[in-house]
Amino acid sequence: MSTRAHPVTWRRSKRDATSSISDRATDDAAILAPLVHEFGWKWDEWDNLAIGILAGHLIECGAACSGGISSLWREVPEPWNIGYPIAEVNENGELFITKVDGTGGVINQVTLTEHLLYEVHDPGNYLMPEVITDFTNVEMDEVAKDRVKVWGAKGKPRPDTLKAGIAYMDGFIGEAESSVTWPDAVEKAERSIEIIEKRLQMVNLDAEEVRFDMIGVNSCHWSASPAPDPDINEVRIRVAAKCAERTEAAKVARECVMLMGTGPIGSTGQLNTPPPREVFALWPTLIPREEISQTVETREL
């Protein structure tokens, strides 16, 4: 939010209410726009715009910078009552991140630094449509409990291109899951996967890709996973296939159900298997800025 020596009170009535329709905009835009409006920043005042982008980037994921998904998860107080962050920016470009008193969570240099680096490929060139921001000299100071002053972002001229994400239909996913229990849960899971592989070969599954996961063993880290604990209590198997045709994708669940009767002892089937789901794939591309025309229309309701 913006703060001034004489705060502005915003009131909204039915008479002056407005509506807007936009395609997918950046998360930071919702924070930068009111600052530009409130303080009269120009669209080529790169350092000012960088402050708005810094503020937006820090609070864009809500509780992610006030203790959510943090390495401090053991220490975060009352995560069930976590306070969402507030960005306070004044007309001098000073930025403070805080949260409402009495709420759970924590805002400090650790939580803010974690989120400052989140989804940033190049900290020296954070690309947004309005400005390229350099985060490499950002500094923080915990000026009070759950209140951090942040400064040091620098702006560069905006990119010459805009990003477009184009969705298209790209086949179907068929999937199913099954659990196996101790003893020898990992070996049983590996045997179950072998059975399903053979079954899918027998029914001539026509798939672009087939994936087998042992959830709790290797589904997150794949080949980098450590050797599994032979005494693990249970393993969840997931089988998924991407197919061009819905009928092919449906074979996955149909063949996995049979583990209830033909899998290793301790196998569980999944009778209520999900139907194949259609895949909407994403094609990200760049468009020259001059090819895009933007208009704003405000109407009274």
Side-chain angles (χ1 to χ4, degrees):
M1 71 179 184
S2 63
T3 58
R4 280 177 150 169
H6 303 286
V8 176
T9 300
W10 295 92
R11 292 187 175 90
R12 185 178 179 89
S13 66
K14 187 174 182 179
R15 182 177 179 181
D16 64 9
T18 60
S19 62
S20 63
I21 300 175
S22 171
D23 49 16
R24 177 63 169 89
T26 65
D27 296 335
D28 300 343
I31 308 303
L32 177 60
L35 298 177
V36 171
H37 171 80
E38 179 75 6
F39 300 133
W41 290 346
K42 306 301 181 185
W43 290 110
D44 60 355
E45 294 180 358
W46 308 120
D47 286 348
N48 281 340
L49 299 180
I51 294 169
I53 293 298
L54 175 60
H57 177 64
L58 287 173
I59 71 171
E60 65 185 355
C61 290
C65 80
S66 51
I69 58 173
S70 171
S71 62
L72 301 178
W73 59 272
R74 291 183 179 88
E75 307 163 31
V76 174
E78 297 186 54
W80 50 88
N81 184 38
I82 202 162
Y84 274 48
I86 301 168
E88 295 179 357
V89 184
N90 64 29
E91 54 201 349
N92 297 321
E94 294 179 313
L95 167 62
F96 298 85
I97 305 296
T98 185
K99 66 181 184 68
V100 176
D101 291 341
T103 59
V106 60
I107 289 181
N108 58 27
Q109 291 189 48
V110 174
T111 62
L112 292 187
T113 299
E114 287 174 336
H115 202 70
L116 179 68
L117 299 175
Y118 174 70
E119 291 185 338
V120 174
H121 294 178
D122 180 358
N125 294 282
Y126 183 63
L127 302 176
M128 284 289 119
E130 303 84 5
V131 61
I132 299 174
T133 304
D134 181 356
F135 290 148
T136 57
N137 292 304
V138 168
E139 297 184 60
M140 302 180 188
D141 183 20
E142 297 179 19
V143 297
K145 184 179 184 297
D146 295 320
R147 184 175 181 84
V148 179
K149 182 178 180 179
V150 189
W151 72 96
K154 294 293 182 181
K156 305 175 185 179
R158 66 188 188 181
D160 294 328
T161 55
L162 296 173
K163 182 179 179 180
I166 301 172
Y168 62 97
M169 291 164 41
D170 189 30
F172 301 86
I173 295 289
E175 60 184 315
E177 296 183 7
S178 177
S179 292
V180 290
T181 64
W182 181 92
D184 306 316
V186 174
E187 289 186 60
K188 290 176 182 176
E190 291 171 341
R191 183 63 166 173
S192 297
I193 288 174
E194 181 185 12
I195 293 171
I196 295 303
E197 284 182 309
K198 297 295 186 183
R199 291 291 305 182
L200 295 180
Q201 290 173 11
M202 290 174 62
V203 296
N204 298 314
L205 176 68
D206 184 7
E208 299 173 23
E209 181 181 359
V210 181
R211 173 167 170 158
F212 298 88
D213 288 311
M214 291 189 290
I215 299 172
V217 176
N218 64 9
S219 60
C220 289
H221 299 106
W222 297 2
S223 60
S225 300
D229 178 1
D231 291 325
I232 192 170
N233 191 54
E234 59 189 46
V235 176
R236 184 76 170 168
I237 305 161
R238 177 179 180 265
V239 183
K242 182 175 180 295
C243 307
E245 302 296 331
R246 187 187 297 270
T247 52
E248 291 297 312
K251 292 179 180 179
V252 175
R254 186 167 66 242
E255 298 306 319
C256 284
V257 168
M258 50 90 66
L259 285 175
M260 289 184 65
T262 63
I265 188 171
S267 299
T268 67
Q270 185 176 352
L271 293 178
N272 187 24
T273 52
R277 54 185 172 86
E278 194 166 10
V279 176
F280 289 89
L282 177 67
W283 174 40
T285 188
L286 298 176
I287 299 175
R289 184 181 292 270
E290 61 270 16
E291 297 294 327
I292 304 298
S293 61
Q294 301 183 52
T295 59
V296 178
E297 182 180 358
T298 303
R299 301 179 181 180
E300 288 192 6
L301 299 180

